[in-house]
């Protein structure tokens, strides 16, 4: 692959926040936990893990909110101050060095399919996970 071919841009719904991923995420988690279901109002969340310094904010300034997380260790979510779309998170377990980008906010949301499914004990029965490995409970960090 040519250098830079994994560079992707994304943003919030209103366009106030724009960002760029300088590399592909090193892992993409499909999280079926109840927290992600509730936060997204959907069946799961798709999070790409990337080193924090590989995400560049191009426009706007996200605000941080800190709702409770499934692990109980806390998380910090970066949202657009205008449209409130959640763009990425930091989890206490991994600190500020790793960023969990909401893959659905990329301009090309199909660019990075999940390579692991986590918290599948609360997975919706109709969701097919394909060939990627699944974990009932434990959030795998690597
Ligand atoms: Zn916005
Ligand atoms: Zn989750």
């Amino acid at each position: 692959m040519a250098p830079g071919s994994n560079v992707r841009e994304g943003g919030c719904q209103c366009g106030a926040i724009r960002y760029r991923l300088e590399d592909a995420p090193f892992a993409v988690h499909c999280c079926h936990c109840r927290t992600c279901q509730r936060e997204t109002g959907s069946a799961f969340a798709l999070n790409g893990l990337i080193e924090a310094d590989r995400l560049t904010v191009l426009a706007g300034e996200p605000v941080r909110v800190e709702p409770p997380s499934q692990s109980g260790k806390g998380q910090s979510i970066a949202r657009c101050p205008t449209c409130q779309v959640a763009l990425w998170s930091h989890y206490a377990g991994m600190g500020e060095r790793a960023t969990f980008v909401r893959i659905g906010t990329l301009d090309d949301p199909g660019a990075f399919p999940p390579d692991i499914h986590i918290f599948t004990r609360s997975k919706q029965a109709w969701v097919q996970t394909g060939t990627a490995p699944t974990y009932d409970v434990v959030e795998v960090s690597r």
Side-chain angles (χ1 to χ4, degrees):
M1 256 186 270
S5 63
N6 283 320
V7 174
R8 290 290 193 289
E9 292 190 1
C12 66
Q13 187 66 20
C14 78
I17 308 288
R18 294 291 302 166
Y19 68 88
R20 183 171 61 223
L21 299 186
E22 310 293 350
D23 282 315
F26 56 87
V28 179
H29 286 180
C30 188
C31 186
H32 301 266
C33 82
R34 286 291 297 128
T35 302
C36 288
Q37 290 171 349
R38 200 181 300 275
E39 276 178 12
T40 61
S42 186
F44 53 78
L46 204 52
N47 290 312
L49 280 72
I50 193 165
E51 294 86 349
D53 63 0
R54 307 308 291 155
L55 187 154
T56 306
V57 177
L58 302 174
E61 199 168 322
V63 294
R64 294 286 193 96
V65 295
E66 302 196 347
S69 69
Q70 182 97 346
S71 69
K73 287 184 286 190
Q75 63 168 319
S76 173
I77 302 179
R79 290 180 179 272
C80 171
T82 304
C83 70
Q84 298 290 323
V85 164
L87 297 154
W88 58 81
S89 307
H90 299 279
Y91 291 90
M94 296 179 80
E96 295 285 323
R97 295 190 324 183
T99 300
F100 288 64
V101 179
R102 306 281 173 105
I103 294 293
T105 64
L106 292 170
D107 296 338
D108 180 7
F112 305 118
D115 41 37
I116 188 172
H117 292 266
I118 58 175
F119 288 107
T120 53
R121 69 178 174 186
S122 48
K123 181 179 81 60
Q124 296 296 299
W126 52 267
V127 173
Q128 307 280 316
T129 55
T131 56
T134 63
Y135 293 83
D136 285 353
V137 179
V138 183
E139 185 155 358
V140 178
S141 59
R142 48 178 179 172

